[in-house]
Amino acid sequence: MHRDRFELALKQLNAHDGELFEQIASAFAVLEFGQLRTVASVGGDGGKDARLFSPIDDDAVVFQYSVTVDFSGKILRTAKRLKDTTPSARELIYVTNQEVGTKVDEVKRRLRKEYRLSLDVWDRAWFLDRVNLHPQTEESAESLAKIKVDQLASSALGVSASLPSLSSSEEQEAALFLELTYGDEDRHKGLTKVGFESLVRAALRETDSSSRMSRTEIHERVANMLPQGRDYSALVDGALKRLTKGAIRYWVKSDEFCLSHEAALVLRDRFTSYALI
């Protein structure tokens, strides 16, 4: 699981995603605490962003999953509620998609002094450090990314829309794909070769083995990204020939192409990093 991909997914969670985050957080938590059970619902907000949980046979430890940005206020309200609903609680583990770090040090002191509770925070960094430690956490993180990140790939093309020198969506798309691919290419290859390989990848971005594109279609798509009045066929064919060595798949009889699975994954992760920036 690409760390940037999971980070962007966590950042995309909002106040309506409490239940979704609960599912993800539980997949991580059970690896350290075994089975969890609900011990109380959170009052005041209808439980939309958090519920309280406890490991089976251990009411001294209570979990709270929350996506609220006001994590300090949420923790203090939860501690007050636990005093009445779960007086045996001695440790509150606050699980959040937010970046917390040392921002709750004062809250920790208040919990120890006023409620005799210790506080442990599992924030965004905690999830990112553990996402690839177990197949269960990888699978859970990927399921969240499919919901929250994949839809951003197409909208990323709109980021270049503010550049006045680019007059069409095709030119904006070309610029984005060049930016996504040029940094990792062999600089000795030359900008022309790298550029046309980027344009071919852009043309093939939505293809796979079941949805291929003909050579003629690729030529047309690339031509639409470039100034009119020139014949780019030889440059496009050269790029196709080079890319069939790894980045794209080729069906000789039908003269059709698609991105390889590996190339599609790389492109997806680059989109993620681009959107995250």
Side-chain angles (χ1 to χ4, degrees):
M1 177 69 184
H2 197 287
R3 183 184 175 98
D4 284 353
R5 180 170 167 79
F6 187 36
E7 182 177 4
L8 184 57
L10 290 172
K11 284 186 173 183
Q12 293 300 308
L13 291 168
N14 56 50
H16 302 289
D17 293 322
E19 184 175 350
L20 178 59
F21 179 63
E22 175 185 311
Q23 296 170 2
I24 305 302
S26 295
F28 280 72
V30 295
L31 294 177
E32 301 200 23
F33 277 87
Q35 297 181 14
L36 299 177
R37 61 182 174 85
T38 304
V39 295
S41 61
V42 178
D45 58 10
K48 291 182 179 179
D49 73 336
R51 284 197 291 168
L52 300 179
F53 295 82
S54 174
I56 290 179
D57 299 326
D58 188 4
D59 284 341
V61 180
V62 177
F63 285 79
Q64 181 179 47
Y65 305 149
S66 179
V67 296
T68 183
V69 296
D70 178 24
F71 40 80
S72 294
K74 173 64 71 173
I75 291 169
L76 289 170
R77 291 191 295 272
T78 299
K80 183 177 180 180
R81 181 176 176 82
L82 284 174
K83 186 176 182 180
D84 297 325
T85 62
T86 316
S88 59
R90 292 295 175 264
E91 180 178 7
L92 172 62
I93 299 178
Y94 186 79
V95 188
T96 179
N97 66 313
Q98 304 296 323
E99 184 179 348
V100 177
T102 60
K103 299 174 185 177
V104 292
D105 286 353
E106 178 59 31
V107 174
K108 287 183 178 181
R109 286 189 284 271
R110 285 191 60 181
L111 260 63
R112 286 196 299 268
K113 180 179 180 181
E114 298 177 20
Y115 301 100
R116 295 183 180 179
L117 271 176
S118 64
L119 174 66
D120 189 11
V121 176
W122 296 0
D123 65 354
R124 187 186 303 157
W126 184 91
F127 282 96
L128 295 175
D129 288 343
R130 289 162 176 78
V131 63
N132 291 317
L133 295 182
H134 192 278
Q136 177 172 307
T137 54
E138 290 183 7
E139 181 179 348
S140 180
E142 179 59 28
S143 68
L144 178 63
K146 287 180 179 179
I147 297 172
K148 287 294 183 178
V149 176
D150 286 353
Q151 61 183 337
L152 296 176
S154 58
S155 63
L157 291 171
V159 175
S160 302
S162 61
L163 300 177
S165 60
L166 302 180
S167 59
S168 70
S169 60
E170 290 84 3
E171 289 174 346
Q172 294 159 16
E173 180 179 332
L176 174 59
F177 273 79
L178 181 59
E179 182 173 344
L180 290 176
T181 60
Y182 183 56
D184 290 336
E185 293 290 348
D186 180 1
R187 297 304 176 91
H188 299 292
K189 186 184 292 184
L191 180 58
T192 299
K193 288 184 177 180
V194 172
F196 274 89
E197 289 176 14
S198 299
L199 298 179
V200 168
R201 286 191 177 98
L204 293 169
R205 71 184 187 278
E206 296 177 347
T207 61
D208 56 35
S209 59
S210 62
S211 179
R212 307 191 290 264
M213 185 174 290
S214 70
R215 186 184 300 269
T216 300
E217 291 175 301
I218 296 171
H219 279 239
E220 291 176 353
R221 288 212 62 185
V222 172
N224 287 334
M225 301 177 192
L226 296 169
Q228 302 301 303
R230 289 188 57 188
D231 183 6
Y232 302 103
S233 299
L235 292 168
V236 174
D237 286 337
L240 286 169
K241 184 176 181 179
R242 291 189 298 274
L243 290 172
T244 52
K245 297 177 181 179
I248 64 178
R249 297 179 61 191
Y250 177 46
W251 281 258
V252 178
K253 290 185 178 181
S254 59
D255 200 25
E256 293 178 325
F257 302 82
C258 77
L259 281 181
S260 68
H261 178 66
E262 294 76 13
L265 292 178
V266 169
L267 185 59
R268 182 197 68 184
D269 289 338
R270 287 176 181 168
F271 262 127
T272 300
S273 299
Y274 186 86
L276 188 60
I277 292 171

